[in-house]
Amino acid sequence: MAVARTAGRAAGRTRTLRLRGEALGQALALVALSLGAVAMVFPLVWMISSSLKPLAQIDLFPPVWIPTEQVKLEVGGQVYPLYEVQLDGETRRLVMVAKAQRVGTFADPDDLSATVEADVNRAKPVERVRLRWDNYVEAMTVVPFGTYAINTAKVVFGSMAGMLISTSLVAYGFSRFRAPGLGLLFLLLLSTTMLPSQVTLIPTYILFSKLGWVDTLKPLIVPSFFAGAYDVFLLRQYFMTIPLELDDAAKMDGCGTLGILFRILLPLAKPAIATLAIFHFMWAYNDFFSPLIYLHHQRNFTIALGLQSFNAFRATRYDLLMAASLVTVLPCILLFFFAQRIFIQGVVVTGVKG
């Protein structure tokens, strides 16, 4: 019995130590994830804060997170800055009516004739919170961001339509049909993902130049009507999880080849299609390199290229640049928050079941 009790106490201590180890591991993981989240969110918070500041407060260190401005009072038709001044151990709110080097002349707002002199460096400006929303108005009007947004919408949704149509047809063929060499052809398609885009840049540019498409939106839209290898792979993997018996049942009901695709497979593949659409939206919206190569005039710029030109012409106006950057990144943030459930579901389903 004594041996059994000793063994039981030893097992209990081992279980207790294991539980403590697991709790410590979870606590450390939580701390690490929290620090990582703060590090990831920090630039976005700084950008939001800077977009609402006056230019003079952006470079301050330590940074001012909430924009403020000094309170000014209008007395007798004149506007004076308001300070907190220490006088005889008492803090008084006085306006500065004059200044000579480090000595300021302060007066009571209710009686400007009663003046006192004090060291300016020991007087504290009275400040209040002020969010400069007019930074956004100025940033959106100093360059034609409306034109940039329309061009971006044309590129994003036009190329998205082409990508979804072409990818669905090609993935359907690779997943549902059998033919000699089809596997080798699929491997050849996948091998194109290893080809650097820089290799095809010059031939592609010459081709589009011969077609007269340079400085138009066509080079950014038309290539999407030819399916990409990664998109085809993702959708093919999802199609292969759908039982072939559904195809046979549809054929017995008189459904044709394209009918099976549009009436059976595509409705069942909504998570994968939504994932492709989100991926493409993010890529096309943030693409900077292709517009830089093919677009020359400002009237054809997309938002990514327009923001770069804004930075070139207003390099010292960081307040306006932060406001413009926040407006341009807002669609991607909203898309993630509203579509994250579909996005995660699509990635998990296509990645696990494939």
Coordinates of all heavy atoms in Angstrom, one line a residue, residues 107-184:
A107 N -1.2 88.8 -19.5 CA -2.3 89.6 -18.9 C -3.5 88.7 -18.7 O -3.7 87.7 -19.3 CB -2.6 90.7 -19.9
D108 N -4.4 89.2 -17.8 CA -5.6 88.5 -17.5 C -6.6 88.7 -18.7 O -6.7 89.9 -19.2 CB -6.3 89.1 -16.2 CG -7.4 88.2 -15.8 OD1 -8.3 87.9 -16.6 OD2 -7.4 87.8 -14.6
P109 N -7.2 87.7 -19.2 CA -8.1 87.9 -20.4 C -9.3 88.9 -20.1 O -9.8 89.5 -21.0 CB -8.7 86.5 -20.6 CG -7.7 85.6 -20.1 CD -7.1 86.3 -18.9
D110 N -9.6 89.0 -18.8 CA -10.7 89.9 -18.4 C -10.2 91.3 -18.2 O -11.1 92.3 -18.2 CB -11.4 89.4 -17.2 CG -12.1 88.1 -17.4 OD1 -12.5 87.8 -18.5 OD2 -12.1 87.2 -16.4
D111 N -8.9 91.5 -18.1 CA -8.4 92.9 -17.8 C -7.0 92.9 -18.4 O -6.0 92.6 -17.7 CB -8.4 93.2 -16.3 CG -7.9 94.6 -16.0 OD1 -7.8 95.4 -17.0 OD2 -7.7 94.9 -14.9
L112 N -6.9 93.4 -19.6 CA -5.5 93.4 -20.3 C -4.6 94.4 -19.7 O -3.4 94.4 -19.9 CB -5.7 93.7 -21.8 CG -6.4 92.6 -22.6 CD1 -6.4 93.0 -24.1 CD2 -5.7 91.2 -22.5
S113 N -5.1 95.3 -18.9 CA -4.3 96.4 -18.3 C -3.4 95.8 -17.1 O -2.4 96.3 -16.8 CB -5.1 97.5 -17.8 OG -6.0 97.1 -16.8
A114 N -3.9 94.7 -16.5 CA -3.2 94.1 -15.4 C -2.2 93.1 -16.0 O -2.5 91.9 -16.3 CB -4.1 93.4 -14.5
T115 N -1.0 93.5 -16.2 CA 0.1 92.6 -16.8 C 1.1 92.2 -15.9 O 1.4 92.9 -14.9 CB 0.7 93.4 -18.0 OG1 1.3 94.5 -17.5 CG2 -0.3 93.7 -19.1
V116 N 1.7 91.1 -16.1 CA 2.9 90.6 -15.4 C 3.9 90.0 -16.4 O 3.5 89.6 -17.5 CB 2.5 89.5 -14.4 CG1 1.6 90.0 -13.3 CG2 1.8 88.3 -15.1
E117 N 5.2 90.0 -15.9 CA 6.2 89.4 -16.8 C 6.7 88.2 -16.2 O 6.8 88.0 -15.0 CB 7.4 90.4 -16.9 CG 7.0 91.7 -17.7 CD 8.2 92.6 -18.0 OE1 9.2 92.4 -17.3 OE2 8.1 93.5 -18.8
A118 N 7.0 87.2 -17.1 CA 7.4 85.9 -16.6 C 8.3 85.2 -17.7 O 8.2 85.6 -18.9 CB 6.2 85.0 -16.2
D119 N 9.1 84.2 -17.3 CA 9.9 83.5 -18.2 C 9.0 82.7 -19.1 O 8.1 81.9 -18.6 CB 10.8 82.6 -17.4 CG 11.9 81.9 -18.3 OD1 11.7 82.0 -19.6 OD2 12.9 81.3 -17.8
V120 N 9.2 82.8 -20.4 CA 8.3 82.1 -21.4 C 8.5 80.6 -21.3 O 7.6 79.8 -21.4 CB 8.6 82.6 -22.8 CG1 7.9 81.8 -23.8 CG2 8.3 84.1 -22.9
N121 N 9.7 80.2 -21.0 CA 10.0 78.7 -20.9 C 9.3 78.1 -19.7 O 9.1 76.8 -19.7 CB 11.5 78.5 -20.9 CG 12.2 78.9 -22.1 OD1 11.6 78.9 -23.2 ND2 13.5 79.3 -22.0
R122 N 8.9 78.8 -18.7 CA 8.2 78.3 -17.6 C 6.7 78.4 -17.7 O 6.0 77.9 -16.8 CB 8.7 79.0 -16.3 CG 10.2 78.8 -16.1 CD 10.6 79.5 -14.8 NE 10.0 78.8 -13.6 CZ 10.2 79.2 -12.4 NH1 11.0 80.2 -12.1 NH2 9.6 78.6 -11.4
A123 N 6.3 79.0 -18.8 CA 4.8 79.1 -19.0 C 4.4 77.9 -19.9 O 5.1 77.6 -20.9 CB 4.5 80.4 -19.7
K124 N 3.3 77.3 -19.5 CA 2.9 76.1 -20.3 C 1.7 76.5 -21.2 O 0.7 77.0 -20.7 CB 2.4 75.0 -19.3 CG 2.0 73.7 -20.0 CD 1.5 72.7 -18.9 CE 1.0 71.5 -19.6 NZ 0.5 70.5 -18.6
P125 N 1.8 76.2 -22.5 CA 0.7 76.6 -23.4 C -0.5 75.7 -23.1 O -0.4 74.5 -22.8 CB 1.2 76.2 -24.8 CG 2.7 76.2 -24.6 CD 3.0 75.7 -23.2
V126 N -1.7 76.3 -23.1 CA -2.9 75.6 -22.9 C -3.4 75.0 -24.2 O -3.5 75.8 -25.2 CB -4.0 76.5 -22.3 CG1 -5.3 75.8 -22.2 CG2 -3.6 77.1 -21.0
E127 N -3.5 73.7 -24.3 CA -3.8 73.0 -25.5 C -5.1 72.3 -25.5 O -5.6 72.0 -24.4 CB -2.7 72.1 -25.9 CG -1.3 72.8 -26.2 CD -0.3 71.8 -26.6 OE1 -0.4 70.6 -26.2 OE2 0.7 72.2 -27.2
R128 N -5.7 72.1 -26.6 CA -6.9 71.3 -26.7 C -6.8 70.3 -27.9 O -6.0 70.6 -28.8 CB -8.1 72.2 -26.9 CG -8.1 73.0 -28.2 CD -9.2 73.9 -28.3 NE -9.1 74.8 -29.5 CZ -10.0 75.8 -29.8 NH1 -10.9 76.1 -28.9 NH2 -9.8 76.5 -30.9
V129 N -7.6 69.2 -27.8 CA -7.6 68.3 -28.9 C -8.2 68.8 -30.2 O -9.3 69.4 -30.1 CB -8.3 67.0 -28.5 CG1 -8.3 66.0 -29.7 CG2 -7.6 66.4 -27.3
R130 N -7.5 68.7 -31.3 CA -8.1 69.1 -32.5 C -7.7 68.1 -33.6 O -6.5 68.0 -33.9 CB -7.7 70.5 -32.9 CG -8.4 71.0 -34.2 CD -7.8 72.1 -34.9 NE -8.5 72.3 -36.2 CZ -8.1 73.2 -37.1 NH1 -7.0 73.9 -36.9 NH2 -8.7 73.3 -38.2
L131 N -8.6 67.5 -34.2 CA -8.4 66.5 -35.3 C -8.5 67.3 -36.6 O -9.6 67.8 -36.9 CB -9.4 65.4 -35.3 CG -9.4 64.6 -33.9 CD1 -10.4 63.5 -34.0 CD2 -8.0 64.1 -33.6
R132 N -7.5 67.3 -37.4 CA -7.5 68.1 -38.7 C -8.1 67.3 -39.8 O -7.3 66.7 -40.6 CB -6.1 68.6 -39.0 CG -5.6 69.6 -38.0 CD -4.2 70.1 -38.4 NE -3.7 71.1 -37.5 CZ -3.9 72.4 -37.8 NH1 -4.4 72.8 -38.9 NH2 -3.5 73.3 -36.9
W133 N -9.4 67.2 -39.9 CA -10.0 66.4 -41.0 C -9.8 67.1 -42.3 O -10.0 66.5 -43.4 CB -11.5 66.3 -40.7 CG -11.8 65.6 -39.4 CD1 -12.3 66.1 -38.2 CD2 -11.7 64.2 -39.2 NE1 -12.4 65.1 -37.3 CE2 -12.1 63.9 -37.9 CE3 -11.3 63.1 -40.0 CZ2 -12.1 62.6 -37.3 CZ3 -11.3 61.8 -39.5 CH2 -11.7 61.6 -38.1
D134 N -9.5 68.4 -42.3 CA -9.3 69.1 -43.5 C -8.1 68.6 -44.3 O -7.9 68.9 -45.5 CB -9.2 70.6 -43.3 CG -8.3 71.0 -42.2 OD1 -8.0 70.1 -41.3 OD2 -7.7 72.1 -42.2
N135 N -7.2 67.9 -43.5 CA -6.0 67.2 -44.2 C -6.5 66.3 -45.3 O -5.9 66.2 -46.4 CB -5.2 66.5 -43.2 CG -4.3 67.4 -42.4 OD1 -4.2 68.6 -42.7 ND2 -3.7 66.9 -41.3
Y136 N -7.6 65.6 -45.0 CA -8.1 64.6 -46.0 C -8.7 65.3 -47.2 O -8.5 64.9 -48.4 CB -9.2 63.7 -45.4 CG -8.6 62.7 -44.4 CD1 -8.5 63.0 -43.1 CD2 -8.3 61.4 -44.8 CE1 -7.9 62.1 -42.2 CE2 -7.7 60.5 -43.9 CZ -7.6 60.9 -42.6 OH -7.0 60.0 -41.7
V137 N -9.4 66.4 -47.0 CA -10.0 67.2 -48.1 C -8.9 67.7 -49.0 O -9.0 67.6 -50.2 CB -10.8 68.3 -47.5 CG1 -11.4 69.2 -48.7 CG2 -12.0 67.8 -46.7
E138 N -7.8 68.3 -48.4 CA -6.7 68.8 -49.2 C -6.0 67.7 -49.9 O -5.6 67.9 -51.1 CB -5.8 69.6 -48.3 CG -4.7 70.3 -49.0 CD -3.8 71.2 -48.1 OE1 -4.1 71.3 -46.9 OE2 -2.9 71.8 -48.6
A139 N -5.8 66.6 -49.2 CA -5.0 65.5 -49.9 C -5.8 64.9 -51.1 O -5.2 64.5 -52.1 CB -4.8 64.4 -48.9
M140 N -7.1 64.9 -51.0 CA -7.9 64.3 -52.1 C -8.1 65.3 -53.2 O -8.6 64.8 -54.3 CB -9.3 63.9 -51.5 CG -9.3 62.7 -50.5 SD -8.7 61.2 -51.3 CE -7.0 61.1 -50.7
T141 N -7.9 66.6 -53.0 CA -8.1 67.5 -54.1 C -6.8 68.0 -54.7 O -6.9 68.6 -55.8 CB -8.9 68.7 -53.5 OG1 -8.2 69.3 -52.4 CG2 -10.3 68.3 -53.1
V142 N -5.7 67.8 -54.0 CA -4.5 68.4 -54.6 C -4.0 67.6 -55.8 O -3.3 68.1 -56.7 CB -3.3 68.4 -53.5 CG1 -2.9 67.0 -53.2 CG2 -2.2 69.3 -53.9
V143 N -4.4 66.3 -55.9 CA -4.2 65.5 -57.1 C -5.5 64.8 -57.5 O -6.4 64.7 -56.6 CB -3.1 64.4 -56.9 CG1 -1.8 65.1 -56.8 CG2 -3.5 63.6 -55.8
P144 N -5.8 64.4 -58.7 CA -7.1 63.9 -59.1 C -7.3 62.4 -58.6 O -7.2 61.5 -59.4 CB -7.0 64.0 -60.7 CG -5.6 63.9 -61.0 CD -4.9 64.6 -59.9
F145 N -7.5 62.3 -57.3 CA -7.7 60.9 -56.8 C -8.9 60.3 -57.3 O -9.0 59.1 -57.3 CB -7.7 61.0 -55.2 CG -6.3 60.7 -54.6 CD1 -5.5 61.7 -54.2 CD2 -5.9 59.4 -54.5 CE1 -4.3 61.4 -53.7 CE2 -4.7 59.1 -54.0 CZ -3.9 60.1 -53.5
G146 N -9.9 61.1 -57.6 CA -11.2 60.5 -58.2 C -10.9 59.8 -59.5 O -11.4 58.7 -59.7
T147 N -10.1 60.4 -60.4 CA -9.7 59.7 -61.6 C -8.9 58.4 -61.3 O -9.1 57.4 -62.0 CB -8.8 60.7 -62.5 OG1 -9.6 61.8 -62.7 CG2 -8.5 60.0 -63.8
Y148 N -8.0 58.5 -60.3 CA -7.2 57.4 -60.0 C -8.1 56.2 -59.5 O -7.9 55.0 -59.8 CB -6.2 57.7 -58.9 CG -5.2 58.8 -59.2 CD1 -4.5 59.5 -58.2 CD2 -4.9 59.1 -60.5 CE1 -3.6 60.4 -58.5 CE2 -4.0 60.1 -60.8 CZ -3.3 60.8 -59.8 OH -2.4 61.7 -60.1
A149 N -9.1 56.6 -58.7 CA -10.0 55.6 -58.1 C -10.8 54.9 -59.3 O -11.0 53.7 -59.2 CB -10.9 56.2 -57.1
I150 N -11.3 55.7 -60.2 CA -12.1 55.1 -61.3 C -11.2 54.2 -62.2 O -11.6 53.1 -62.5 CB -12.6 56.2 -62.2 CG1 -13.7 57.0 -61.4 CG2 -13.2 55.7 -63.5 CD1 -14.2 58.3 -62.1
N151 N -9.9 54.6 -62.5 CA -9.0 53.7 -63.2 C -8.7 52.4 -62.4 O -8.7 51.4 -63.0 CB -7.7 54.5 -63.5 CG -7.9 55.6 -64.5 OD1 -8.9 55.6 -65.3 ND2 -7.1 56.6 -64.4
T152 N -8.5 52.6 -61.1 CA -8.2 51.4 -60.3 C -9.4 50.4 -60.3 O -9.3 49.2 -60.4 CB -7.9 51.8 -58.9 OG1 -6.8 52.7 -58.9 CG2 -7.6 50.6 -58.0
A153 N -10.7 51.0 -60.2 CA -11.8 50.1 -60.3 C -12.0 49.4 -61.6 O -12.3 48.2 -61.6 CB -13.1 51.0 -60.0
K154 N -11.7 50.1 -62.7 CA -11.7 49.4 -64.0 C -10.7 48.3 -64.0 O -11.0 47.2 -64.5 CB -11.4 50.4 -65.1 CG -12.5 51.5 -65.3 CD -12.0 52.4 -66.4 CE -13.1 53.5 -66.6 NZ -12.6 54.5 -67.7
V155 N -9.5 48.5 -63.6 CA -8.4 47.5 -63.6 C -8.8 46.3 -62.7 O -8.7 45.2 -63.1 CB -7.1 48.1 -63.2 CG1 -6.0 47.0 -63.0 CG2 -6.6 49.1 -64.3
V156 N -9.2 46.6 -61.5 CA -9.4 45.6 -60.5 C -10.6 44.7 -60.9 O -10.4 43.4 -61.0 CB -9.7 46.2 -59.1 CG1 -10.2 45.1 -58.1 CG2 -8.4 46.8 -58.6
F157 N -11.7 45.3 -61.2 CA -12.9 44.5 -61.5 C -12.9 43.9 -62.9 O -13.4 42.8 -63.1 CB -14.2 45.3 -61.2 CG -14.4 45.7 -59.8 CD1 -14.2 46.9 -59.4 CD2 -14.7 44.7 -58.9 CE1 -14.3 47.3 -58.0 CE2 -14.8 45.0 -57.5 CZ -14.6 46.3 -57.1
G158 N -12.3 44.6 -63.9 CA -12.2 44.1 -65.2 C -11.3 42.8 -65.2 O -11.6 41.8 -65.8
S159 N -10.1 43.0 -64.6 CA -9.2 41.8 -64.6 C -9.7 40.7 -63.7 O -9.5 39.5 -64.0 CB -7.8 42.3 -64.0 OG -7.9 42.8 -62.7
M160 N -10.5 41.0 -62.7 CA -11.1 40.0 -61.8 C -12.1 39.2 -62.6 O -12.1 37.9 -62.5 CB -11.7 40.6 -60.6 CG -12.3 39.6 -59.6 SD -13.3 40.4 -58.3 CE -12.0 41.3 -57.5
A161 N -12.9 39.8 -63.4 CA -13.9 39.1 -64.2 C -13.1 38.1 -65.2 O -13.5 37.0 -65.3 CB -14.7 40.1 -65.0
G162 N -12.1 38.7 -65.8 CA -11.3 37.8 -66.8 C -10.6 36.7 -66.0 O -10.6 35.5 -66.5
M163 N -10.1 36.9 -64.9 CA -9.4 35.8 -64.1 C -10.4 34.7 -63.7 O -10.1 33.6 -63.8 CB -8.7 36.5 -62.9 CG -8.0 35.5 -62.0 SD -9.0 34.6 -60.8 CE -9.5 36.0 -59.8
L164 N -11.6 35.1 -63.2 CA -12.5 34.1 -62.7 C -13.1 33.3 -63.9 O -13.2 32.1 -63.8 CB -13.7 34.8 -62.0 CG -13.3 35.5 -60.7 CD1 -14.5 36.2 -60.1 CD2 -12.8 34.4 -59.7
I165 N -13.3 33.9 -65.0 CA -13.9 33.2 -66.2 C -12.8 32.2 -66.7 O -13.1 31.0 -66.9 CB -14.3 34.1 -67.3 CG1 -15.5 35.0 -66.8 CG2 -14.7 33.4 -68.6 CD1 -15.9 36.1 -67.8
S166 N -11.6 32.7 -67.0 CA -10.6 31.8 -67.6 C -10.1 30.7 -66.6 O -10.0 29.6 -66.9 CB -9.4 32.7 -68.0 OG -8.8 33.4 -66.9
T167 N -10.0 31.1 -65.3 CA -9.5 30.1 -64.3 C -10.6 29.0 -64.1 O -10.2 27.8 -64.0 CB -9.3 30.8 -63.0 OG1 -8.3 31.8 -63.1 CG2 -8.8 29.8 -61.9
S168 N -11.8 29.4 -64.1 CA -12.9 28.4 -63.9 C -12.9 27.4 -65.1 O -13.0 26.1 -64.9 CB -14.3 29.0 -63.9 OG -14.3 29.9 -62.8
L169 N -12.7 27.9 -66.3 CA -12.8 27.0 -67.5 C -11.5 26.0 -67.5 O -11.6 24.8 -67.7 CB -12.8 27.8 -68.8 CG -14.1 28.6 -69.0 CD1 -14.0 29.5 -70.2 CD2 -15.3 27.6 -69.2
V170 N -10.4 26.6 -67.2 CA -9.1 25.8 -67.2 C -9.1 24.8 -66.1 O -8.8 23.6 -66.3 CB -7.9 26.7 -67.2 CG1 -6.6 25.9 -67.1 CG2 -7.9 27.6 -68.4
A171 N -9.5 25.2 -64.9 CA -9.5 24.3 -63.7 C -10.5 23.2 -63.9 O -10.3 22.0 -63.5 CB -9.8 25.1 -62.5
Y172 N -11.6 23.5 -64.6 CA -12.7 22.5 -64.9 C -12.1 21.5 -65.8 O -12.3 20.2 -65.6 CB -13.9 23.2 -65.5 CG -15.0 22.3 -65.9 CD1 -15.5 21.4 -65.0 CD2 -15.5 22.4 -67.2 CE1 -16.5 20.5 -65.4 CE2 -16.6 21.6 -67.6 CZ -17.1 20.7 -66.7 OH -18.1 19.8 -67.1
G173 N -11.4 21.9 -66.8 CA -10.8 20.9 -67.7 C -9.8 20.0 -67.1 O -9.8 18.8 -67.3
F174 N -8.9 20.6 -66.2 CA -7.9 19.7 -65.6 C -8.4 18.8 -64.5 O -7.8 17.8 -64.2 CB -6.8 20.6 -65.0 CG -5.8 21.1 -66.0 CD1 -5.6 22.5 -66.2 CD2 -5.0 20.2 -66.6 CE1 -4.7 22.9 -67.1 CE2 -4.0 20.7 -67.6 CZ -3.9 22.0 -67.8
S175 N -9.6 19.2 -63.9 CA -10.1 18.4 -62.8 C -11.1 17.4 -63.3 O -11.3 16.3 -62.6 CB -10.8 19.3 -61.8 OG -11.9 20.0 -62.4
R176 N -11.8 17.6 -64.4 CA -12.9 16.7 -64.8 C -12.7 15.9 -66.0 O -13.4 14.9 -66.3 CB -14.1 17.6 -65.0 CG -15.1 17.7 -63.9 CD -14.7 17.3 -62.6 NE -15.9 17.1 -61.7 CZ -15.8 17.0 -60.4 NH1 -14.7 17.1 -59.8 NH2 -16.9 16.8 -59.7
F177 N -11.7 16.2 -66.8 CA -11.5 15.5 -68.1 C -10.2 14.7 -68.0 O -9.3 15.0 -67.3 CB -11.4 16.5 -69.3 CG -12.7 17.2 -69.5 CD1 -12.9 18.5 -68.9 CD2 -13.7 16.6 -70.2 CE1 -14.1 19.1 -69.1 CE2 -15.0 17.3 -70.4 CZ -15.1 18.6 -69.8
R178 N -10.1 13.7 -68.8 CA -9.0 12.8 -68.9 C -8.5 12.7 -70.4 O -9.4 12.5 -71.2 CB -9.3 11.4 -68.4 CG -9.6 11.4 -66.9 CD -8.3 11.8 -66.1 NE -8.6 11.9 -64.6 CZ -9.0 13.0 -64.0 NH1 -9.1 14.1 -64.7 NH2 -9.3 12.9 -62.7
A179 N -7.3 12.9 -70.6 CA -6.7 12.9 -72.0 C -5.2 12.5 -71.9 O -4.6 12.8 -70.9 CB -6.9 14.2 -72.7
P180 N -4.7 11.9 -72.9 CA -3.2 11.6 -72.9 C -2.4 12.9 -72.8 O -2.6 13.9 -73.5 CB -3.0 10.9 -74.2 CG -4.3 10.4 -74.6 CD -5.3 11.4 -74.1
G181 N -1.4 12.9 -71.8 CA -0.6 14.1 -71.6 C -1.2 15.2 -70.8 O -0.5 16.2 -70.7
L182 N -2.4 15.0 -70.3 CA -3.0 16.0 -69.5 C -2.2 16.3 -68.2 O -2.1 17.5 -67.9 CB -4.5 15.7 -69.2 CG -5.3 16.8 -68.7 CD1 -5.5 17.9 -69.7 CD2 -6.7 16.3 -68.2
G183 N -1.7 15.3 -67.6 CA -0.9 15.4 -66.4 C 0.3 16.2 -66.7 O 0.8 17.1 -65.9
L184 N 1.0 15.8 -67.8 CA 2.2 16.6 -68.2 C 1.9 18.0 -68.5 O 2.7 18.9 -68.1 CB 2.9 15.9 -69.4 CG 4.2 16.5 -69.9 CD1 5.3 16.4 -68.8 CD2 4.6 15.8 -71.2

